Amino acid sequence: MLTSEERLDLQEFYFRYTECLDGGRLQHWPEFFTDPCVYRVTTLRGMRMGPDEDLVSFDSKSIMLDRIVALDQSEDFEPHHQRHFITNVRAQTTEDHELRVFANLLVIRTFPGKRSELFVSGCYQDRVVSLGGRLKFQEKLVILDSEEAPDELIYPV
């Protein structure tokens, strides 16, 4: 069981994470992770097939930073806004004092002059640790509900 203070800290951590992504501050995205770390995005089919079917898989902050630089230099990108909704956050403490966190995820995106649309839905299965009094993702596994990959999975989710 988490204390009320630990639960609020965890909630605030997830709020800061989504504010970073939704606010377009991708250069700060790796700061939410330990180094080394695991960041994976997969589908339900990918979960059945194994890690070779991941849509995205990073194992260090330097790879994340390389991805951000590539995004900044891309000319094949249509600007848009995105909004993350994270709900039903549940956490368990392990023997190693890490948190196993499970949460639902919904991302809505909006292109200029168009209506908002559902981009992805799914869940997080995360491992979170406290380093120097700050929470960090040691592992973030994003499992998309869809059997198929979204058309443009460019930004982190």
Side-chain angles (χ1 to χ4, degrees), residues 82-98:
Q82 64 180 15
R83 188 77 52 215
H84 285 71
F85 297 89
I86 299 173
T87 64
N88 298 46
V89 178
R90 299 161 315 284
Q92 301 171 322
T93 306
T94 68
E95 293 175 6
D96 298 334
H97 301 289
E98 72 178 19

Side-chain angles (χ1 to χ4, degrees), residues 12 38 41 43 49 58 64 74 94 104 106 110 112 122 141 150-152:
E12 182 65 27
V38 173
V41 180
T43 62
M49 301 300 286
F58 302 144
M64 293 173 157
S74 175
T94 68
N104 293 330
L106 185 70
T110 308
L141 173 59
D151 291 335
E152 301 168 348

Side-chain angles (χ1 to χ4, degrees), residues 130-156:
S130 180
L131 295 176
R134 296 194 61 175
L135 295 177
K136 302 268 185 177
F137 293 112
Q138 190 165 38
E139 179 177 353
K140 176 167 271 305
L141 173 59
V142 183
I143 305 170
L144 303 179
D145 288 333
S146 175
E147 291 285 327
E148 298 296 319
D151 291 335
E152 301 168 348
L153 188 60
I154 297 170
Y155 279 115

